[in-house]
């Protein structure tokens, strides 16, 4: 899953970036509203963590512009202003959630994950496809009860496919939601990673769950 | 007497009373004078008539006819006395005295000088007397010798003034009664007028009393106020506006403080939590600890600035004025910023005159200079220039700091001295520059009797200049 963090206070921005990345997210950052808006406009982020007091373009204006543009990425507002009036204003402008500084990082993480689930209409942190079980909280995968050992990147790809289980996911989508801007931009990388993932998930004796649809993309699910 | 109405009424009554009293007294005096002079004239006429009846014959003065005696109605004693004396003071004729009565004092001697005099009759009645010397008529058949140097006589006539005294007393009492009634009427009329005309004051004071902290936006209507009170009302409204703004400033200041402190706190909390969420390399821990310490220093600096500002606001900063060498001060205060200047590759130039002695509080001035140096070094563009200059201008020491890389828009200039206002609303990494520096400098310089101004933001440069007095008389009380 891909997250954009727009926060001008360096220490906070870098800490959130590190924390989210270590939790398995692909993270991009921006230190002012203008840069943040440019990045957010692409619409490829699952969650945007947005600070309200930003230079060049303040958070609420940025949010309003995003919504006017039809960008529906989930937005979590971060701010030090804690009056109900401020909260109401933020939520009315189109934010999905609101966290007041200073906050527990664990809470930020949980809320971001909840917003990701909401994006994919998955209320349950446990995703089950056939005998494949993903625990999105523990970031573990079991196939027929057996724990699989996946790299963080592999887990991320599998989680994304699982969130969109049954759909055909294009390489572009996969790249957008798993890899960060400064990664290599060749689609071959996606194929290589999916290949490695398939070898771990679709073990012999097990029903294949990761299917390739030539010219379109990949699908996770029962064989049709 | 505290009440304006009561005081006004009392004074007006006093003045009216005095005027009425003076009028009444004058009236009485004039009337009395007229009555008495008429009395005297009548008395004189009668005395003259009597004198005309005296004649001198054969060396003697005689009275032809005795006048009819006039008696007092009440006592029966004579009300009118007369005595005619010849030039040898022998009585020619006089009012017959009833048995047992005495001749009144004062009529015994005819040598008194005054023409008219007030005397007392034997029964105690007041009277007035007239006396004059005259030449009695000389008979035709007298000797020529006598005709040439006739003998003189003097006549003294006195009449009781009881009647006119009674009249005058009646007049006095009437006047007194009229005076009292008039005063009473004046009192009522004045009371009504005063009460009515002071009503706007009562309304105004009531209106002013209804405005409090909860309805500071209300104002007192200027139109209803009397002309003399309008400056007061105007000032009152202005004060309300000032209080409103001050309370607003305080509210937003408190909100801003909370916000400004929460940001570095959030940074510290998240950084430490993320750092502690899993085992890490020693180097990573070290780096994180260093970052957090830097943030703590930044917060410390911010809190110090806030405290100083709060103390300045509360009037608790008492500058101790003494001689301070500004050049030396600048050089000392520069030292902690040298590292940052080098790290940012800044080209720093100095231009200090010698003998820059100011009469000021060195500690407080240090805060100002330190803040300005900090601003210059932090906001100059990387690889840019910082120029520090100080010299004597008139009766002040002027210090100016210029840094290249200005990012303040001209439109934002007036707001730079507002608390928590920053040029581009940005924070640097430590949160130290939360927008209090210039506000604090201004506040302190006000206390020291100095000035601060942004000289210019031309050609990408930011130029700030301060001045502090050099002489003792330049400092405020």
């Amino acid at each position: 899953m891909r997250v954009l963090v727009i926060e001008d206070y360096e220490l906070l921005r870098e800490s959130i970036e590190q924390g989210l990345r270590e939790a398995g997210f692909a993270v991009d950052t921006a230190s002012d509203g203008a840069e943040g808006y440019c990045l957010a406009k692409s619409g490829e982020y699952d969650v945007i963590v947005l600070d309200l007091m930003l230079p060049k373009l303040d958070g609420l204006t940025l949010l309003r512009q995003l919504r006017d543009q039809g960008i529906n990425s989930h937005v979590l507002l971060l701010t030090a202003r804690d009056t109900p009036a401020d909260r109401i204003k933020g939520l009315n402008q189109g934010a999905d959630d609101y966290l007041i500084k200073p906050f527990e990082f664990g809470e930020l993480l949980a809320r971001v994950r909840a917003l990701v689930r909401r994006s994919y209409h998955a209320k349950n942190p446990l995703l089950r496809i056939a005998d494949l079980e993903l625990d999105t909280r523990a970031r573990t995968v079991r196939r027929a009860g057996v724990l699989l050992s996946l790299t963080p990147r592999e887990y991320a790809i599998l989680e994304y496919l699982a969130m969109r289980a049954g759909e055909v996911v294009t390489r572009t989508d996969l790249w957008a939601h798993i890899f960060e801007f400064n990664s290599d931009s060749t689609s071959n990388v996606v194929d290589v990673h999916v290949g490695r993932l398939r070898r771990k998930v679709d073990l012999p004796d097990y029903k294949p769950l990761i299917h390739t649809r030539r010219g379109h993309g990949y699908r996770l699910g029962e064989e049709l | 007497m505290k009440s304006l109405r009561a005081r006004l009424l009392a004074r007006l009554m006093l003045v009216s009373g005095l005027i009425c009293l003076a009028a009444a007294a004058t009236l009485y005096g004039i009337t009395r004078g007229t009555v008495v002079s008429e009395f005297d004239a009548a008395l004189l006429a009668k005395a003259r008539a009597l004198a005309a009846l005296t004649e001198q014959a054969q060396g003697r003065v005689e009275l032809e006819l005795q006048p009819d005696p006039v008696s007092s109605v009440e006592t029966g004693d004579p009300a009118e006395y007369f005595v005619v004396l010849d030039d040898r003071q022998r009585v020619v004729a006089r009012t017959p005295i009833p048995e047992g009565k005495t001749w009144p004092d004062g009529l015994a001697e005819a040598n008194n000088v005054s023409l008219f005099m007030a005397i007392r009759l034997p029964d105690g009645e007041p009277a007035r007397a007239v006396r004059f010397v005259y030449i009695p008529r000389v008979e035709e058949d007298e000797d020529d010798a006598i005709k040439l140097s006739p003998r003189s006589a003097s006549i003294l006539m006195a009449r009781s003034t009881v009647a006119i005294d009674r009249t005058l007393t009646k007049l006095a009492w009437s006047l007194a009664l009229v005076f009292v009634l008039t005063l009473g009427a004046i009192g009522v009329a004045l009371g009504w007028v005063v009460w009515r005309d002071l009503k706007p004051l009562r309304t105004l004071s009531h209106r002013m009393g209804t405005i409090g902290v909860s309805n500071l936006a209300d104002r007192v209507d200027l139109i209803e106020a009397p002309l003399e009170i309008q400056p007061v009302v105007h000032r009152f409204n202005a004060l309300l506006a000032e209080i409103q703004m001050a309370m607003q400033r305080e509210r937003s200041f408190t909100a801003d403080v909370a916000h400004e402190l929460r940001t570095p706190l959030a940074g510290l909390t998240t950084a430490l939590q993320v750092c502690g969420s899993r085992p890490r390399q020693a180097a990573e821990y070290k780096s994180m600890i260093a970052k957090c310490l830097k943030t703590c220093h930044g917060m410390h600096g911010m809190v110090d600035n806030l405290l100083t500002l709060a103390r300045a606001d509360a009037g608790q900063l008492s500058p101790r004025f003494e001689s301070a060498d500004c050049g030396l001060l600048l050089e000392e205060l520069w030292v902690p910023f040298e590292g940052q200047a080098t790290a940012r590759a800044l080209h720093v130039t100095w231009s200090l005159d010698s003998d820059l002695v100011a009469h000021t509080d060195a500690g407080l001035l240090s805060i100002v200079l330190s803040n300005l140096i900090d601003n210059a070094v932090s906001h100059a563009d990387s690889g840019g220039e910082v120029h520090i200059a100080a010299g004597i201008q008139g009766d002040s020491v002027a210090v100016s700091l210029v840094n290249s890389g200005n990012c303040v828009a001209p439109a934002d200039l007036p707001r730079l001295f507002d608390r928590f206002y920053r040029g581009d609303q940005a924070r640097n990494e430590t949160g130290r520059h939360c927008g209090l520096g210039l506000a604090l400098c201004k506040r302190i310089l006000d206390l020291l009797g100095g000035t601060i101004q942004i000289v210019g933001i031309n050609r990408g440069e930011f130029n700030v200049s301060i001045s502090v007095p050099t002489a003792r008389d330049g400092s405020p009380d």
Side-chain angles (χ1 to χ4, degrees):
Chain A
M1 300 302 138
R2 200 145 168 226
V3 177
L4 173 63
V5 177
I6 312 177
E7 162 66 59
D8 64 325
Y9 188 49
E10 190 179 318
L11 183 63
L12 186 58
R13 182 181 68 247
E14 289 177 352
S15 308
I16 295 178
E17 184 185 3
Q18 183 183 4
L20 286 177
R21 197 171 280 144
E22 286 175 1
F25 289 94
V27 185
D28 292 320
T29 64
S31 58
D32 65 71
E35 191 191 348
Y37 181 66
C38 272
L39 290 173
K41 245 184 350 185
S42 67
E44 286 167 354
Y45 294 100
D46 295 295
V47 178
I48 300 175
V49 175
L50 176 62
D51 179 38
L52 278 190
M53 302 284 286
L54 293 168
K56 294 193 187 152
L57 181 66
D58 76 280
L60 276 183
T61 313
L62 188 158
L63 178 58
R64 200 180 61 242
Q65 284 177 0
L66 268 186
R67 295 302 184 226
D68 287 346
Q69 291 278 327
I71 308 291
N72 292 325
S73 308
H74 287 313
V75 171
L76 181 129
L77 288 179
L78 284 183
T79 183
R81 297 205 183 277
D82 68 341
T83 65
D86 294 313
R87 282 200 287 266
I88 290 170
K89 200 168 167 197
L91 290 169
N92 278 344
Q93 286 278 42
D96 296 279
D97 205 351
Y98 202 103
L99 247 193
I100 296 169
K101 301 184 209 174
F103 48 82
E104 297 294 307
F105 182 73
E107 189 175 353
L108 176 73
L109 194 53
R111 285 179 187 260
V112 167
R113 285 192 176 134
L115 286 177
V116 165
R117 282 202 300 278
R118 212 187 292 172
S119 295
Y120 297 100
H121 310 286
K123 291 278 182 195
N124 197 342
L126 282 177
L127 299 170
R128 230 176 252 116
I129 300 99
D131 58 353
L132 187 68
E133 191 180 276
L134 278 96
D135 184 342
T136 56
R137 281 172 314 198
R139 298 181 68 80
T140 54
V141 184
R142 288 172 195 278
R143 184 90 202 251
V146 176
L147 192 66
L148 299 180
S149 165
L150 302 176
T151 67
R153 191 54 63 82
E154 288 162 0
Y155 173 82
I157 294 174
L158 187 61
E159 191 190 49
Y160 186 62
L161 288 173
M163 288 282 195
R164 296 181 60 182
E167 294 173 31
V168 174
V169 178
T170 63
R171 279 188 196 80
T172 323
D173 275 350
L174 264 176
W175 179 73
H177 284 264
I178 309 298
F179 298 86
E180 292 160 9
F181 265 130
N182 43 8
S183 326
D184 292 331
S185 59
T186 50
S187 61
N188 190 246
V189 174
V190 174
D191 292 334
V192 167
H193 276 93
V194 173
R196 288 202 202 125
L197 181 65
R198 190 182 258 143
R199 272 193 289 276
K200 291 187 184 173
V201 171
D202 290 342
L203 299 162
D205 305 335
Y206 286 95
K207 279 187 282 190
L209 288 176
I210 300 177
H211 308 280
T212 308
R213 183 94 170 268
R214 287 244 171 269
H216 292 273
Y218 299 99
R219 183 177 64 84
L220 180 74
E222 301 260 11
E223 188 137 21
L224 293 171
Chain B
M1 201 180 297
K2 282 270 166 71
S3 160
L4 190 62
R5 247 183 302 144
R7 211 161 39 166
L8 204 58
L9 198 59
R11 289 205 183 146
L12 282 172
M13 289 287 286
L14 189 66
V15 168
S16 317
L18 286 175
I19 292 175
C20 286
L21 199 63
T26 309
L27 195 61
Y28 179 77
I30 291 173
T31 310
R32 187 191 170 88
T34 309
V35 166
V36 166
S37 63
E38 277 183 14
F39 181 90
D40 285 349
L43 190 64
L44 183 62
K46 192 147 185 199
R48 281 217 179 107
L50 197 62
L53 287 177
T54 42
E55 60 180 11
Q56 51 181 318
Q58 288 123 33
R60 291 200 322 275
V61 178
E62 290 175 347
L63 187 63
E64 281 184 9
L65 290 168
Q66 287 271 7
D68 295 323
V70 176
S71 309
S72 161
V73 171
E74 287 129 25
T75 60
D77 293 342
E80 205 173 85
Y81 291 83
F82 77 90
V83 59
V84 179
L85 300 169
D86 65 9
D87 51 0
R88 293 197 194 102
Q89 308 304 321
R90 288 188 301 224
V91 177
V92 170
R94 67 178 193 184
T95 308
I97 307 285
E99 286 299 319
K101 304 289 177 183
T102 56
W103 190 251
D105 294 333
L107 286 188
E109 288 129 36
N111 283 337
N112 304 356
V113 180
S114 56
L115 186 58
F116 287 103
M117 51 194 175
I119 56 165
R120 205 151 268 283
L121 298 179
D123 48 12
E125 280 183 14
R128 282 184 73 74
V130 62
R131 176 195 166 268
F132 58 86
V133 173
Y134 68 101
I135 310 243
R137 192 163 33 89
V138 180
E139 275 292 315
E140 276 300 317
D141 51 1
E142 281 295 311
D143 297 334
D144 285 335
I146 293 177
K147 276 190 191 161
L148 281 170
S149 55
R151 295 167 70 184
S152 67
S154 64
I155 182 169
L156 191 146
M157 181 165 263
R159 192 188 288 167
S160 166
T161 56
V162 162
I164 63 167
D165 280 350
R166 199 178 296 138
T167 308
L168 287 175
T169 308
K170 214 183 284 179
L171 175 68
W173 279 111
S174 305
L175 281 177
L177 183 66
V178 168
F179 168 74
V180 167
L181 290 176
T182 307
L183 206 60
I186 288 176
V188 168
L190 280 182
W192 179 76
V193 168
V194 164
W195 182 85
R196 223 189 72 136
D197 282 354
L198 287 186
K199 196 162 173 211
L201 267 186
R202 273 204 318 282
T203 317
L204 204 63
S205 79
H206 175 75
R207 177 86 184 99
M208 282 184 180
T210 61
I211 299 183
V213 171
S214 52
N215 59 340
L216 271 179
D218 287 357
R219 295 286 179 270
V220 178
D221 201 345
L222 206 60
I223 296 174
E224 292 165 359
L227 209 63
E228 291 81 2
I229 309 294
Q230 283 196 356
V232 175
V233 173
H234 188 71
R235 188 76 197 110
F236 182 73
N237 283 341
L239 274 174
L240 282 178
E242 280 173 37
I243 294 176
Q244 211 181 359
M245 265 177 26
M247 293 194 71
Q248 179 60 36
R249 265 202 309 269
E250 196 189 312
R251 252 179 263 131
S252 45
F253 182 66
T254 315
D256 284 339
V257 167
H259 180 266
E260 291 301 324
L261 284 177
R262 276 179 171 159
T263 302
L265 275 175
L268 280 175
T269 311
T270 307
L272 290 168
Q273 280 178 339
V274 167
C275 188
S277 67
R278 60 172 68 177
R280 299 188 189 275
Q281 303 281 347
E284 213 179 323
Y285 285 132
K286 269 179 98 166
S287 149
M288 181 56 67
I289 289 173
K291 273 192 211 167
C292 290
L293 266 179
K294 200 169 161 200
T295 305
C296 287
H297 284 143
M299 284 178 75
H300 189 184
M302 191 201 306
V303 168
D304 276 349
N305 274 0
L306 275 172
L307 200 57
T308 312
L309 254 181
R311 282 210 189 110
D313 278 347
Q316 286 171 4
L317 279 187
S318 321
R320 261 208 329 264
F321 287 91
E322 50 196 6
S323 295
D325 186 332
C326 296
L328 217 59
L329 215 55
L330 278 167
E331 284 169 357
E332 280 171 9
L333 293 169
W334 168 254
V335 171
F337 296 98
E338 185 133 33
Q340 190 183 359
T342 315
R344 303 195 68 221
L346 298 178
H347 179 60
V348 184
T349 50
W350 293 75
S351 160
L352 300 181
D353 288 353
S354 55
D355 195 31
L356 295 165
V357 178
H359 185 67
T360 189
D361 182 314
L364 288 178
L365 186 61
S366 294
I367 297 180
V368 174
L369 293 175
S370 201
N371 262 294
L372 293 178
I373 295 175
D374 191 354
N375 279 351
V377 169
S378 302
H379 294 133
D381 52 341
S382 215
E385 292 175 9
V386 170
H387 180 69
I388 306 175
I392 303 277
Q393 272 177 22
D395 58 357
S396 315
V397 172
V399 179
S400 88
L401 288 100
V402 185
N403 64 277
S404 61
N406 167 62
C407 43
V408 177
D412 294 334
L413 263 185
R415 298 189 57 191
L416 278 180
F417 288 100
D418 289 351
R419 297 179 182 196
F420 292 121
Y421 183 84
R422 280 155 298 180
D424 60 352
Q425 291 293 309
R427 273 153 285 188
N428 79 358
E429 65 279 7
T430 61
R432 186 171 75 245
H433 288 275
C434 61
L436 284 179
L438 282 177
L440 185 60
C441 289
K442 181 161 200 318
R443 199 72 187 77
I444 291 180
L445 282 167
D446 284 345
L447 277 176
L448 296 178
T451 62
I452 178 169
Q453 60 179 124
I454 312 294
V455 174
I457 52 166
N458 308 316
R459 302 182 300 275
E461 277 186 348
F462 188 85
N463 185 342
V464 61
S465 166
I466 67 155
S467 74
V468 274
T470 50
R472 191 173 293 269
D473 14 82
S475 61
D477 298 329

